[in-house]
Amino acid sequence: MVEGTFACAEGRFTTSVAESRKKVTVGLRPEDCRVTGPSEGKIAARVYAVELIGDHTLITCQFGGATVTVKADKSAHYDMDEPIGITFQDSAVFLFDAETGARIGGRAGRQAAA
């Protein structure tokens, strides 16, 4: 992460924490993500699993060594290993120190409560 911009081989996006760090872990809630076309998302991924859960579908995606779950409409259908894009609001990103697990900053730039 350089000056608040997270970058990896599969994509890049701006965070609400204007810091530079070599190793960070990004957290996203499934309901904050949306599936897009492979070249339209902030992250390029592949479908790993699709699970219909009543009124919604959980789409588990992989990129690099990471896994992200996206909550989609119950009519969503994707094939295993299908390339997709994942998009989200920058303010929906949670950042953690990769070594200690400690939260970095807070959502939408607010400091996390201790």
Side-chain angles (χ1 to χ4, degrees):
M1 185 169 73
V2 178
E3 295 179 9
T5 298
F6 180 87
C8 63
E10 293 82 7
R12 64 184 298 123
F13 53 88
T14 304
T15 72
S16 60
V17 179
E19 293 183 22
S20 296
R21 293 184 183 225
K22 285 189 175 193
K23 294 183 179 183
V24 296
T25 298
V26 174
L28 291 162
R29 292 190 170 130
E31 62 271 19
D32 291 335
C33 299
R34 197 169 46 86
V35 175
T36 66
S39 62
E40 299 168 15
K42 294 182 179 190
I43 299 290
R46 293 195 167 276
V47 174
Y48 178 75
V50 178
E51 184 175 8
L52 178 61
I53 309 285
D55 68 341
H56 64 276
T57 300
L58 293 179
I59 304 164
T60 303
C61 313
Q62 291 185 322
F63 62 94
T67 301
V68 173
T69 301
V70 179
K71 182 178 178 182
D73 185 76
K74 68 180 179 179
S75 64
H77 175 76
Y78 295 92
D79 294 323
M80 298 306 161
D81 209 35
E82 181 176 344
I84 61 167
I86 301 170
T87 194
F88 44 85
Q89 295 293 319
D90 294 340
S91 62
V93 173
F94 293 90
L95 298 171
F96 302 90
D97 183 283
E99 293 179 9
T100 67
R103 176 111 179 251
I104 302 169
R107 190 169 187 168
R110 295 187 301 268
Q111 292 296 320

